[in-house]
Amino acid sequence: MTIDAERKMQFLFALRSKGVTNSAVLNAMEKIDRLPFIRHYFTDRAYEDMPLPIACGQTISQPSVVGLMTQALDISPRDKVLEVGTGSGYQAAILSQLARRVYTVDRHARLVREAREVFDELGLVNITAFAADGSFGLPDQAPFDRIIVTAAAEDPPGPLLAQLKIGGIMVVPVGQSDAVQSLIKVTRTETGYNYDELRAVRFVPLLEGMGKES
């Protein structure tokens, strides 16, 4: 077994040990290598289960959290998914293996440009990335079957809830940015929304407006 194959096997074992058990999600995370989404000094840590810094003061989430959030979405192959917070593009790439179409939005134009480059390199043709204020979602593309938010809001954002289909699922970290946050699964029903608390997490805050170029 090569070193890369052994590292990948250890990577998948670590995901399973943290609760990522859905076979489709594990297959997607085996297929999409994390390395192309990590730049500069941190490439040697690509297979470790830890968040890493990226440009614009943001982070690439630890793989087990990516896996658990993806698993909670319960994506089916015909689903249209919105991701708020493109970041490195890694989460969107995982989603692209499970959904029919992925729309991803980030307030930092630089991150969107760099993510698009990786999507092109990997041939991920079912992802559309926008530089926009994600706190308002993408009304022109709504409604969505699934929505994932990779930044913490004080409450599940109203504009995003409104863009969720009946029967749709949103996964979002909720809580103050300087405290432990809770990962929440929101399911839209005919009569309202059901909320399930999944686990404690820590994400950068969800901010309104466009980010400054850096």
Side-chain angles (χ1 to χ4, degrees):
M1 182 182 292
T2 65
I3 293 176
D4 282 350
E6 187 171 349
R7 290 177 80 186
K8 183 65 72 79
M9 191 172 73
Q10 291 171 345
F11 175 79
L12 293 169
F13 179 78
L15 292 175
R16 290 190 189 95
S17 70
K18 296 287 180 64
V20 183
T21 56
N22 181 283
S23 59
V25 174
L26 287 167
N27 287 341
M29 297 189 75
E30 182 175 15
K31 187 173 181 182
I32 298 295
D33 200 320
R34 194 176 181 228
L35 184 59
F37 299 93
I38 296 170
R39 312 223 169 198
H40 309 306
Y41 309 110
F42 301 100
T43 53
D44 62 335
R45 313 191 86 165
Y47 298 106
E48 295 181 26
D49 190 37
M50 62 186 300
L52 294 170
I54 58 172
C56 304
Q58 305 300 296
T59 59
I60 178 172
S61 297
Q62 66 191 86
S64 61
V65 171
V66 171
L68 289 168
M69 292 179 77
T70 306
Q71 184 169 270
L73 285 172
D74 192 22
I75 298 169
S76 62
R78 298 299 302 164
D79 283 347
K80 181 169 72 169
V81 181
L82 170 64
E83 178 194 31
V84 176
T86 308
S88 69
Y90 179 61
Q91 173 74 76
I94 300 296
L95 297 172
S96 77
Q97 303 301 297
L98 302 164
R100 174 175 61 88
R101 191 83 210 162
V102 178
Y103 294 88
T104 182
V105 58
D106 201 287
R107 63 194 293 268
H108 294 285
R110 174 184 171 181
L111 294 181
V112 171
R113 284 196 307 272
E114 292 180 354
R116 282 178 182 153
E117 291 173 5
V118 183
F119 299 153
D120 289 344
E121 288 168 11
L122 299 179
L124 304 177
V125 297
N126 64 334
I127 304 175
T128 304
F130 296 91
D133 183 350
S135 60
F136 295 103
L138 287 175
D140 292 347
Q141 300 297 336
F144 295 95
D145 301 288
R146 302 290 186 266
I147 298 176
I148 182 171
V149 185
T150 61
E154 289 192 21
D155 297 292
L160 300 183
L161 291 172
Q163 291 173 36
L164 197 59
K165 282 185 181 178
I166 302 295
I169 294 170
M170 178 165 72
V171 175
V172 54
V174 172
Q176 300 293 339
S177 60
D178 58 351
V180 174
Q181 305 140 1
S182 293
L183 191 62
I184 304 294
K185 177 179 178 178
V186 185
T187 305
R188 186 169 189 179
T189 69
E190 294 281 358
T191 56
Y193 300 92
N194 293 335
Y195 297 85
D196 294 302
E197 190 170 327
L198 302 179
R199 56 165 284 166
V201 289
R202 187 179 289 273
F203 279 84
V204 296
L206 180 66
L207 301 175
E208 291 189 6
M210 295 299 291
K212 294 180 180 177
E213 285 290 285
S214 59

